[in-house]
Amino acid sequence: MVRVAGARVFEVQGPLDESVANAKAVWCERRSLLLELTDEAGRIGQGEASPLPGFSRESFDQVCTELVGIDWASLPELDPAGSASGTIEKTIEERLDMANLRTPAARFAAETALLDLTGQVAGKPISQLLAGTGSARPIETALRPRVALAALLAGDVLAAASGRVDRGYRHLKLKVGRSPAEDLALLATLRAELGPEIGLRADANGSLAPEALPAWLGSAAELELEFVEEPVPLGALKALKGQRPSPVPLAIDESLSPGDEAGLPAALEAGGYCYTVLKPSYHGGLIRCQRLAGLARSRGVEPVVSHLFEGPVALAGAAELALALAPCPPAGLAPHAGLEHWPSIQIPAFREAELVPHDTPGLGLPPLAERLAEEAGVRLKELRP
C-alpha cells in the first residue's frame, strides 16, 4: 500500500542559456515547482509543475497555491494493484479530485509523484502501471516497442540539424510562423541538405495567416513534411476546410482545451487532423493524456507526446506515457534547452535518439532537491503553506 507521510514543494528558477522561442513568445528564464512526496518507508515520489507563460492557461501562482495547499495526510492510501472499484489510474484520479486540483500543471505534478511512489512500491516503471486504450506492451521488456525521438531545432538550424542527425535522430521539428516565406525556404534547404529519409515537422503555434494558408501548405507539400502542427487556430481552420483538404497532414495542439475529452472528437473532425499533440502538463496528467490518445486512435488520429520545455521530472513522466502508448509516432521529447539549469541525470527511458522500455521502478530518478541546492545559478526555495 502507498500512504503519503510527508510532502515538500520547492520553487526552482534558472536561466536558459539558449533562448526558447516560437512565433509568439521568447523565454529566457524558467520557473518550476518540484514536488516531493514521501511514504512511510522513506521512498520519495517526484512531480514537476512548470506552466509555460503565454501557452499554459494557468499562472505559476495558481499552480503554487494548489500544490502547497494540499493536505496529503487526509488522502486515503493507494493500493498499487488498484481497488475493488477500479484500476490504479482511477484510484489516483479519485485522490487528485479529493485534493481539489484544478489547474492542469498542478494535477500533472501530483499525479506523477503518486505514480512514481506507486511504481516504486510495486517494483514497476510508470509505463507498466498505465493501462487502457492505446497501451500495447508485450510481457518481455526486450520485446516492448521502442519510441523514436523527434528533436526541436534552435539557434543555427542547419548546424543543429546536422548535429542531431550525427547523433542518430531521424525526425526534426522547426518552429515557423514569424516569416512564412523564409520558413519555407529554410525547410526546403533542410530537405535538400538532409535528404528524403529524415522526417521534418513544422510547428506554427497558430500564427500563420489564414488567408495565405492554402498556398503555404501547397508549397510545404512539395517538401514531404511529416505534419504541420497548429498552422492556424481551429476556428480559422474550420472555415478553410470546406475549400479543399490539406495537402499536408495536420496536427492539433493548443487549439484543444486542456483535458477536453468531450470536445476532442468534434475538434479532430472539424480540423481534418491526422495527429494530436499531447503535452501531459498542459492536459493535466499522463492518465488524461492516455484517455485522449485512446479517443484519437478510435478516429484514426495518432497521438504525439511532447513537452513544455520542462525539467527532467516532467520529461521522464512524458517518456513513460510515450512508452505506454507504443507503438506510436516519434515523440517530441528529445533533450531541450529547458533542462539547462537542472542537474544532469540519466532518465532510464532515454537511449540516444529513442525511448527504450526499462524495468526501473517509478520514474527511476534520484531525488533532485539536494542536487539542485548545489547547482550554481539556480534558485531553489522550499515553499510553506
Side-chain angles (χ1 to χ4, degrees), residues 175-200:
K175 292 284 188 180
V176 301
R178 290 186 175 182
S179 175
E182 292 180 10
D183 292 333
L184 283 171
L186 183 52
L187 285 167
T189 300
L190 285 168
R191 174 57 72 214
E193 291 286 331
L194 301 174
E197 67 275 9
I198 301 300
L200 290 178

Side-chain angles (χ1 to χ4, degrees), residues 311-331:
V313 177
L315 188 63
E320 293 301 302
L321 172 65
L323 288 172
L325 295 175
C328 60

Side-chain angles (χ1 to χ4, degrees), residues 248-261:
V248 180
L250 301 181
I252 187 172
D253 186 358
E254 61 263 42
S255 280
L256 183 67
S257 297
D260 188 6
E261 297 173 38

Side-chain angles (χ1 to χ4, degrees), residues 1-261:
M1 303 296 285
V2 179
R3 178 178 292 279
V4 177
R8 298 196 298 174
V9 179
F10 300 90
E11 180 179 348
V12 183
Q13 187 173 354
L16 299 179
D17 292 337
E18 181 181 348
S19 295
V20 176
N22 61 24
K24 297 181 177 180
V26 176
W27 298 275
C28 297
E29 188 176 56
R30 204 74 175 90
R31 294 177 73 196
S32 305
L33 293 168
L34 177 64
L35 172 65
E36 282 190 353
L37 300 183
T38 306
D39 72 359
E40 294 170 328
R43 287 175 287 244
I44 296 176
Q46 297 178 98
E48 180 191 339
S50 302
L52 186 63
F55 190 99
S56 302
R57 303 194 184 186
E58 67 268 45
S59 70
F60 185 88
D61 288 343
Q62 288 175 312
V63 176
C64 183
T65 297
E66 286 194 359
L67 283 181
V68 172
I70 299 174
D71 180 10
W72 289 100
S74 68
L75 300 183
E77 63 184 8
L78 284 163
D79 185 345
S83 65
S85 62
T87 62
I88 184 61
E89 297 101 306
K90 181 178 179 181
T91 306
I92 285 178
E93 289 203 301
E94 288 172 351
R95 276 38 173 198
L96 299 178
D97 291 339
M98 291 177 189
N100 199 31
L101 289 167
R102 301 185 181 277
T103 62
R107 193 177 180 95
F108 169 54
E111 179 201 86
T112 304
L114 286 173
L115 283 169
D116 189 13
L117 265 184
T118 303
Q120 291 178 52
V121 172
K124 296 180 180 180
I126 288 176
S127 58
Q128 291 187 50
L129 291 178
L130 297 174
T133 304
S135 180
R137 299 181 302 274
I139 296 176
E140 296 290 336
T141 301
L143 298 180
R144 296 178 203 141
R146 299 185 175 199
V147 180
L149 291 172
L152 178 63
L153 300 176
D156 184 338
V157 170
L158 293 178
S162 177
R164 291 287 193 174
V165 170
D166 287 345
R167 292 195 295 276
Y169 288 88
R170 292 296 177 263
H171 303 271
L172 305 173
K173 175 170 140 178
L174 182 69
K175 292 284 188 180
V176 301
R178 290 186 175 182
S179 175
E182 292 180 10
D183 292 333
L184 283 171
L186 183 52
L187 285 167
T189 300
L190 285 168
R191 174 57 72 214
E193 291 286 331
L194 301 174
E197 67 275 9
I198 301 300
L200 290 178
R201 304 172 175 182
D203 181 7
N205 293 109
S207 63
L208 296 177
E211 65 276 8
L213 183 61
W216 196 94
L217 291 175
S219 298
E222 300 176 5
L223 304 175
E224 298 182 343
L225 301 182
E226 288 184 337
F227 57 77
V228 176
E229 185 179 334
E230 282 286 328
V232 295
L234 176 59
L237 191 60
K238 286 197 290 188
L240 293 168
K241 188 189 171 192
Q243 299 178 18
R244 60 173 181 172
S246 171
V248 180
L250 301 181
I252 187 172
D253 186 358
E254 61 263 42
S255 280
L256 183 67
S257 297
D260 188 6
E261 297 173 38

